[in-house]
Amino acid sequence: GLLRRRPDVIQAEYNVKSSNALVGAAVGEFLPKLNLMNFIGGEGNRPPASWGGDKSYVWTLGGQTALPVFKGGENVYNYKVVKAQWKQTTEQYKQTVVSAFTDVANALTDIRRLAEIRAAQEKQVAADREAAKLSKVRYEGGFSSYLEVLDSERRRFQSETSLAKTLGDQYVSMANLYRALGGGWQTEETKK
């Protein structure tokens, strides 16, 4: 599905297809080659309507057949080389797919973890806001010093800053998931 649209997966897939074609070409070097150029032909001075009735027209059927020549093991060596390259590109394709799955799994884990952190930080921000509000009321009532108000405001700002950073991290993790899935997708309705 979506992972097949990743550029690295597409490139690895084309590399496997290309290597597969090279293996087929190397196998073809062991087989006879038939050239069908001028396979059916005619020779003579009669028009085509009278073909077959007169002996002055001669038919030729044929082509050229070339048998593979022993080249000191070159064909076998070439086959082994392209077969090894095919195995290598196949393994690279598998590694690319595993890497794609790992990227998606990591992005999903980060999203879930950051959602839990955000929920906890939102509770902390609410508690720090309430503490700052109460310390201000206590100061205005003469029950505490202004230092307590400043300290509670500092804690509130720190928790709000941490929450803002977590929100930013959540957006980054969503972008990482988007990238891990191949950069997006289209349904049939949006293609039209």
Side-chain angles (χ1 to χ4, degrees):
L2 294 174
L3 293 181
R4 289 192 72 200
R5 295 181 182 176
R6 284 176 54 127
D8 56 342
V9 173
I10 291 171
Q11 180 180 0
E13 185 177 342
Y14 281 122
N15 288 345
V16 170
K17 288 179 181 179
S18 173
S19 294
N20 196 30
L22 291 174
V23 169
V27 168
E29 290 297 318
F30 294 106
L31 304 174
K33 292 172 185 56
L34 180 63
N35 183 355
L36 297 179
M37 295 300 288
N38 298 325
F39 186 68
I40 298 176
E43 192 175 288
N45 57 7
R46 307 272 313 191
S50 62
W51 285 357
D54 191 357
K55 302 272 187 203
S56 66
Y57 200 81
V58 176
W59 283 95
T60 59
L61 294 168
Q64 284 183 328
T65 303
L67 296 175
V69 177
F70 179 72
K71 300 178 184 175
E74 181 181 339
N75 288 347
V76 174
Y77 174 75
N78 287 339
Y79 171 76
K80 287 180 179 179
V81 167
V82 295
K83 186 74 172 179
Q85 289 171 345
W86 175 80
K87 285 181 181 179
Q88 180 182 7
T89 57
T90 304
E91 286 302 315
Q92 287 172 345
Y93 177 77
K94 289 176 186 176
Q95 290 173 358
T96 302
V97 170
V98 168
S99 175
F101 276 111
T102 303
D103 290 347
V104 171
N106 289 343
L108 290 172
T109 301
D110 287 346
I111 289 170
R112 189 184 79 245
R113 181 183 56 83
L114 289 169
E116 293 169 358
I117 291 171
R118 178 181 172 182
Q121 285 179 338
E122 285 174 344
K123 289 178 184 176
Q124 182 66 44
V125 166
D128 287 345
R129 284 179 182 164
E130 187 64 28
K133 187 162 101 177
L134 290 174
S135 68
K136 192 170 187 180
V137 169
R138 286 175 45 89
Y139 170 73
E140 290 171 354
F143 295 108
S144 66
S145 69
Y146 196 69
L147 186 60
E148 183 181 320
V149 173
L150 291 175
D151 190 45
S152 63
E153 286 291 326
R154 181 188 54 78
R155 282 194 305 268
R156 180 179 66 90
F157 289 138
Q158 284 178 341
S159 64
E160 287 176 347
T161 301
S162 294
L163 177 60
K165 183 181 179 316
T166 300
L167 287 170
D169 291 344
Q170 278 187 305
Y171 291 129
V172 168
S173 65
M174 290 297 287
N176 288 339
L177 176 62
Y178 183 78
R179 187 183 66 224
L181 290 173
W185 54 91
Q186 292 181 346
T187 60
E188 291 300 319
E189 294 84 32
T190 58
K191 286 183 182 177
K192 295 178 182 177

